Amino acid sequence: MSLTEEPGTAASPVSSSMFSWVSKDARRKKEPELFQTVSEGLRQLYAQKLLPLEEHYRFHEFHSPALEDADFDNKPMVLLVGQYSTGKTTFIRHLIEQDFPGMRIGPEPTTDSFIAVMHGPTEGVVPGNALVVDPRRPFRKLNAFGNAFLNRFMCAQLPNPVLDSISIIDTPGILSGEKQRISRGYDFAAVLEWFAERVDRIILLFDAHKLDISDEFSEVIKALKNHEDKIRVVLNKADQIETQQLMRVYGALMWSLGKIINTPEVVRVYIGSFWSHPLLIPDNRKLFEAEEQDLFKDIQSLPRNAALRKLNDLIKRARLAKVHAYIISSLKKEMPNVFGKESKKKELVNNLGEIYQKIEREHQISPGDFPNLRKMQELLQTQDFSKFQALKPKLLDTVDDMLANDIARLMVMVRQEESLMPAQVVKGGAFDGTMNGPFGHGYGEGAGEGIDDVEWVVGKDKPTYDEIFYTLSPVNGKITGANAKKEMVKSKLPNTVLGKIWKLADVDRDGLLDDEEFALANHLIKVKLEGHELPADLPPHLVPPSKRRHE
């Protein structure tokens, strides 16, 4: 069957389902794709192909509530997690450069609520119970955590340019001891896990003075398992300790995290002081500036990568739903029809690990795709196994088809959307503070040194370079490339770098260097040896004075 089939030609049920991505009009070459946007495609794929499998095997009772339209349309979200007084609320205040409703800052545990800081036309607070009935917000499924949680959940709305592009979730400080588990009245780790599935970035904040990771914080981090790709770590208040102690603190943090986050890669840690107050110990100012810029770039990239993140999360969810279907159908298969159901149920729950291994072998599934064994055993205790469904291959085949074909087509659409849309980055607040002007990162350093000077910046060292120049046998005031090379290789820089320096320094492109060009080449070597990057093109302030008339 051809996609350019005549309108009158009848299509078989098989062929029409095979090309369900292509609408009828596509065959008339009027509309090549069924989905207009990636988010619409994800929404339809989920509703038509994955949701039936989830509902059939009661996925939502075990793992995660069903996704809603708002989950596919909402802005990127950043979740802040940390022990009390690590500077989570202050970090938000620093980013948006504005107080937000419900904000409280202090050394004691002040933020006792989950606060979704979002864009709104006017400043105000929306309480949790109202939030979970609003279909435009991605929070409706939080209703399952009950009133104890909803009374501690709210949305702070305010007009702010940063919040045009992202939303930020502030969380209560993680407490130590029994207070964490008992006093809250809701499952704190489960709420964080719910958010972790839906956010684009998780920032764990640590205080350089209170590095101890309590058992409760450790449990919370473990609840974020399978979302390691979203996690970034911030070592805050680093300006309050000396360089030597900072090195020790950083090493201790990496060691502690390595024991909790079980990944072979080292987690990215940003060191700094994320507020607008003067640095107490300014020795590491340059380090803090570079780290802040790196973190800001990471956050700024979230709107651009939002569609890809949602696609990635849907794939993760589909893989888990498939494994869950195999587990439930295996348990159903082992259950007796009439007698001994309770004793068989206990036996199956206790031997769940063996069932995992059997499924792994039969269906060639990676061990990493299986849900947590102990948690699954706890959830199964309260379930009626007789109501479980047997294996229905058609539902699984539909999801396999979605993963193999539909997702691949959506990946192409993601790239197309990215190329058509203007560069999406977070703007406003602290993100604008270092964009331009003399306080931009690296301004006036390296190749930028002397950018605002009237005199040519290379001039101050030119007498030293001239002495070397005249030992290299200049002819008609210029030295050859071979003679210049003899001197330039003394820097021990690689030929690829020296080749780039030659290209930048040979301003008139005659294959020779005069005294000014030779001085410029030496200046660029010095820039590189000091650890700075070379510019792609020679900045106007570095062009030798005698050559500026040619520019």
Side-chain angles (χ1 to χ4, degrees):
M1 171 185 160
S2 161
L3 291 183
T4 55
E5 189 172 272
E6 288 303 313
T9 309
S12 68
V14 175
S15 60
S16 64
S17 66
M18 192 184 301
F19 295 106
S20 59
W21 267 71
V22 185
S23 66
K24 289 174 186 174
D25 284 344
R27 293 169 204 155
R28 301 184 184 98
K29 295 186 177 180
K30 286 182 183 174
E31 191 179 32
E33 284 176 319
L34 183 64
F35 300 144
Q36 299 299 315
T37 63
V38 173
S39 61
E40 183 197 331
L42 288 170
R43 192 186 304 118
Q44 287 192 35
L45 278 183
Y46 176 70
Q48 293 166 10
K49 298 198 172 186
L50 184 54
L51 187 59
L53 179 76
E54 291 183 357
E55 288 174 340
H56 194 69
Y57 294 104
R58 305 164 83 163
F59 177 88
H60 308 135
E61 294 175 32
F62 288 85
H63 304 289
S64 173
L67 298 177
E68 298 197 315
D69 287 356
D71 290 310
F72 297 103
D73 297 329
N74 67 314
K75 292 172 188 170
M77 292 195 286
V78 178
L79 177 69
L80 296 181
V81 182
Q83 297 181 170
Y84 74 89
S85 196
T86 50
K88 296 185 295 298
T89 308
T90 307
F91 182 86
I92 299 174
R93 171 73 182 75
H94 178 60
L95 284 189
I96 66 175
E97 293 186 341
Q98 188 178 343
D99 289 350
F100 57 88
M103 182 181 97
R104 284 174 63 213
I105 295 172
E108 75 284 5
T110 46
T111 303
D112 62 348
S113 303
F114 280 81
I115 304 176
V117 185
M118 305 181 86
H119 189 271
T122 55
E123 273 196 35
V125 170
V126 182
N129 283 292
L131 262 183
V132 295
V133 294
D134 185 349
R136 295 165 303 158
R137 306 279 190 195
F139 305 123
R140 281 167 44 121
K141 297 295 181 182
L142 284 169
N143 197 35
F145 293 104
N147 264 335
F149 167 71
L150 295 178
N151 291 335
R152 290 273 176 268
F153 178 47
M154 62 176 173
C155 172
Q157 288 188 161
L158 65 157
N160 184 282
V162 173
L163 301 176
D164 267 337
S165 310
I166 59 170
S167 301
I168 308 170
I169 314 293
D170 193 10
T171 61
I174 292 160
L175 307 172
S176 55
E178 292 296 291
K179 291 180 285 185
Q180 174 73 10
R181 289 196 302 276
I182 297 167
S183 304
R184 292 209 190 270
Y186 59 89
D187 191 338
F188 182 75
V191 173
L192 278 183
E193 198 174 346
W194 186 95
F195 275 109
E197 281 182 22
R198 289 157 176 80
V199 299
D200 296 69
R201 189 65 76 238
I202 302 164
I203 297 180
L204 301 180
L205 276 102
F206 291 88
D207 184 338
H209 284 95
K210 295 183 296 194
L211 206 53
D212 175 54
I213 301 178
S214 66
D215 292 345
E216 289 71 25
F217 196 9
S218 176
E219 285 302 310
V220 164
I221 295 172
K222 284 175 182 171
L224 305 177
K225 189 179 182 293
N226 300 327
H227 304 290
E228 288 92 346
D229 56 320
K230 298 179 181 179
I231 294 176
R232 302 290 182 271
V233 176
V234 168
L235 181 58
N236 202 10
K237 307 185 184 180
D239 64 317
Q240 298 177 15
I241 53 176
E242 302 282 351
T243 304
Q244 189 178 6
Q245 287 148 321
L246 182 59
M247 287 174 65
R248 289 178 181 148
V249 166
Y250 178 77
L253 175 61
M254 296 303 284
W255 182 80
S256 301
L257 287 171
K259 293 173 74 177
I260 301 167
I261 302 175
N262 295 317
T263 54
E265 298 84 15
V266 177
V267 67
R268 176 67 162 99
V269 177
Y270 298 90
I271 305 168
S273 176
F274 294 91
W275 67 346
S276 52
H277 291 237
L279 299 175
L280 287 181
I281 300 170
D283 301 3
N284 298 306
R285 182 187 184 105
K286 280 194 177 178
L287 169 68
F288 298 159
E289 283 175 2
E291 294 283 282
E292 185 175 70
Q293 284 304 308
D294 286 352
L295 180 59
F296 282 5
K297 279 178 190 167
D298 187 65
I299 295 172
Q300 283 182 301
S301 72
L302 293 179
R304 194 170 60 248
N305 300 325
L308 204 54
R309 193 275 304 167
K310 287 169 186 165
L311 188 66
N312 188 47
D313 283 356
L314 190 71
I315 295 167
K316 275 200 273 190
R317 189 181 178 99
R319 290 167 73 98
L320 179 60
K322 272 181 63 185
V323 174
H324 178 77
Y326 286 129
I327 295 167
I328 297 299
S329 57
S330 296
L331 294 171
K332 171 70 174 176
K333 192 177 173 185
E334 298 290 333
M335 284 297 284
N337 289 329
V338 187
F339 300 113
K341 290 187 177 182
E342 270 309 307
S343 58
K344 187 63 177 175
K345 174 181 170 180
K346 282 179 185 172
E347 183 193 323
L348 289 170
V349 171
N350 291 333
N351 296 335
L352 189 61
E354 291 172 22
I355 293 169
Y356 274 20
Q357 288 172 356
K358 186 182 171 190
I359 294 168
E360 196 182 314
R361 285 193 306 272
E362 282 182 12
H363 302 284
Q364 289 83 47
I365 293 169
S366 163
D369 285 355
F370 284 82
N372 181 279
L373 180 62
R374 200 182 330 148
K375 187 180 170 189
M376 195 70 178
Q377 285 171 322
E378 285 173 17
L379 291 165
L380 285 168
Q381 302 281 6
T382 57
Q383 293 287 334
D384 182 355
F385 284 23
S386 63
K387 291 183 179 173
F388 285 173
Q389 300 290 335
L391 195 64
K392 200 171 178 183
K394 188 182 173 187
L395 286 174
L396 286 157
D397 290 345
T398 304
V399 173
D400 282 336
D401 175 63
M402 177 188 90
L403 291 170
N405 300 312
D406 300 329
I407 293 293
R409 292 187 181 108
L410 270 186
M411 281 291 292
V412 175
M413 278 188 72
V414 167
R415 295 294 171 223
Q416 287 171 347
E417 273 192 13
E418 282 179 1
S419 62
L420 291 172
M421 294 169 106
Q424 288 180 296
V425 291
V426 182
K427 292 178 181 172
F431 297 101
D432 284 352
T434 58
M435 294 289 273
N436 301 303
F439 296 98
H441 181 59
Y443 187 93
E445 298 170 12
E449 184 188 351
I451 191 168
D452 296 324
D453 294 355
V454 176
E455 298 295 324
W456 188 40
V457 68
V458 183
K460 63 179 186 288
D461 295 319
K462 190 170 179 292
T464 309
Y465 302 143
D466 281 350
E467 286 178 23
I468 303 167
F469 178 80
Y470 289 111
T471 65
L472 298 174
S473 313
V475 176
N476 297 327
K478 298 196 175 191
I479 57 171
T480 62
N483 285 346
K485 181 180 177 181
K486 286 177 194 170
E487 183 60 33
M488 289 170 73
V489 293
K490 290 179 184 177
S491 67
K492 299 181 183 176
L493 287 170
N495 283 353
T496 50
V497 175
L498 292 174
K500 184 173 183 182
I501 288 171
W502 171 272
K503 194 175 172 185
L504 290 169
D506 185 15
V507 180
D508 55 13
R509 303 283 184 271
D510 62 354
L512 304 167
L513 297 184
D514 62 21
D515 59 330
E516 286 183 333
E517 290 173 327
F518 180 73
L520 174 60
N522 279 279
H523 178 75
L524 292 171
I525 287 171
K526 186 179 85 167
V527 165
K528 188 63 184 172
L529 290 174
E530 287 173 354
H532 301 285
E533 289 302 314
L534 293 170
D537 299 299
L538 193 67
H541 72 279
L542 286 183
V543 176
S546 65
K547 305 286 189 297
R548 289 181 187 176
R549 61 180 178 274
H550 301 304
E551 292 297 304

